[in-house]
Each structure stands twice: as structure tokens, then as C-alpha cells.
Amino acid sequence: MQRPVVTPDEQGHLSRNRVINPDVYELYLKGRHIMERGGLKDVQNTIEYFQSGLEKDPDNALLYTGLADAYIDKMMDVHESPAEATTQARTAAEKALQLDDSLAEAHTSLGMIKLAYDWDWAGAEHEFNRAMELNPGYPLAYVMYGQYLTMLGRQTDAMPYFEKAHRLDPLFGQGMNWVIRNNSGLSSNHVSVVQPITGRY
């Protein structure tokens, strides 16, 4: 895998006022890439990448957001304990925010926990809006806010957010189409709607 190059703009967004170690960032990218596969073993390997990165840089907020999303994936898996995985996800997301409250990724992760596990509608909406405000170019925040609206029965209002995410990253198209095809009965089975999306970033 080619060593990633972090531009000044990316570095400013990913962790303000901190120098990013390219080796650590490479571990982050590898973890995110593997997490996209969605298998339980893949998620565990992802966690190991993020933890390896944290051994090198224990105050890296971005790695904690990766951990949070990996544990959210485990939270959705029927073979895992939702309560235990959720606790780990929440701890990682809150640690990321403690280190860097400006990360849209961290706010999105916390919003997913509030939406999928806490059923804290207002809290989830707040986190997703904050994420979109902090980084208008982060597709997952738009996807999750669109799902939040869909769960409220506001499919028409949700579509522009799915479309925005798709414009930002066409890889979100598959997840967006899944939501559209399965938008009936979301309020009674909303956890299954979140599951196909969380591993994308």
C-alpha cells in the first residue's frame, strides 16, 4: 500500500493544531478500508489496526473515532453483546471528543450511538447537525442524518441528505439505495437501517 500523503487542508481538518504521523495515519486508513468489508473478523482486525496506531500516538482523536465506529459495527452484530460493544463505542467517541471537539467523525459516531442504541432522537440530531457544520464534506454525517429523518417518517426531507452524501462520495450510493428500498417500517426496526452504513468510513 502506498504511503498516504496528508495535505495541509486534511491535516487541519483531521486534527487541529497537531502534527499527524504518516505511519499512524496509514494504520487509520487501513483500518477504515478493512472495516468496509463488514465481517466480524474484519472488524476485529480493524480494531487491532486502530489500537496499534494508538500505541504510537495515544492522543490521536481520529483513531478513537475509528474505534468507535468499529465497536458500533460490533454493536449491530447478533453474535456480540450490544451493551458491551456500545459501552466501548461510547467510550471511544467521547475520548475522541475530549481530545478534539472539532472532529465531525466523532460527533457522527456519538450520534449513531444515540440513534441506534439510546433512542435519543434530539441528541442524535444535535450530533449529526454539529458534524455537518464542522465538516460539510463528510458524507457519513449526511447519510446518518438522512436515516434519522427517514426513521421519523420524513423520507422526502431525507432524500437531499442521501443525495448530498452520494455526490460527496459515490461509494455511498449502495447504502443510500438500500435505505430507499427498505424505507417501510423503519420506526419499528431502525437498528437494521443503521447497520449497512456504519463501516463505510
Side-chain angles (χ1 to χ4, degrees):
M1 180 176 180
Q2 184 177 359
R3 181 181 297 274
V5 177
V6 184
T7 68
D9 287 343
E10 288 172 331
Q11 180 167 308
H13 160 61
L14 293 174
S15 191
R16 294 181 183 178
N17 302 320
R18 295 189 74 247
V19 176
I20 295 178
N21 182 329
D23 293 330
V24 171
Y25 188 56
E26 182 173 355
L27 289 170
Y28 171 78
L29 291 178
K30 285 180 177 179
R32 285 291 187 181
H33 174 72
I34 292 173
M35 187 160 46
E36 290 183 19
R37 300 174 187 168
L40 183 58
K41 184 176 180 180
D42 294 321
V43 172
Q44 188 56 48
N45 289 338
T46 289
I47 290 171
E48 292 173 3
Y49 272 114
F50 295 145
Q51 289 175 336
S52 295
L54 287 170
E55 290 176 3
K56 299 174 182 293
D57 186 359
D59 292 328
N60 189 300
L62 194 63
L63 285 170
Y64 279 106
T65 69
L67 270 181
D69 288 353
Y71 284 123
I72 289 171
D73 273 5
K74 293 188 76 172
M75 178 181 76
M76 301 298 177
D77 193 283
V78 296
H79 301 293
E80 295 291 314
S81 166
E84 180 179 352
T86 302
T87 297
Q88 293 170 311
R90 195 189 312 275
T91 297
E94 290 176 348
K95 179 64 173 180
L97 288 170
Q98 177 187 345
L99 290 168
D100 188 350
D101 188 62
S102 70
L103 277 180
E105 293 88 342
H107 287 280
T108 302
S109 299
L110 187 57
M112 286 192 283
I113 295 167
K114 290 179 178 293
L115 184 64
Y117 190 82
D118 297 341
W119 291 37
D120 178 0
W121 308 106
E125 181 180 28
H126 171 79
E127 296 299 335
F128 296 144
N129 279 322
R130 182 63 176 146
M132 291 184 288
E133 176 186 355
L134 287 168
N135 183 6
Y138 185 49
L140 185 56
Y142 292 93
V143 168
M144 295 312 305
Y145 189 65
Q147 291 194 3
Y148 160 80
L149 293 173
T150 303
M151 293 170 203
L152 295 181
R154 297 168 55 187
Q155 288 89 344
T156 301
D157 293 336
M159 286 309 304
Y161 292 94
F162 292 133
E163 291 166 356
K164 172 73 171 179
H166 185 54
R167 287 196 301 271
L168 289 169
D169 185 350
L171 291 178
F172 272 98
Q174 182 177 359
M176 183 179 72
N177 291 334
W178 193 97
V179 173
I180 295 170
R181 291 196 306 270
N182 295 274
N183 63 9
S184 60
L186 293 179
S187 60
S188 62
N189 192 26
H190 68 272
V191 172
S192 66
V193 181
V194 181
Q195 185 174 0
I197 306 292
T198 55
R200 180 63 63 190
Y201 273 80

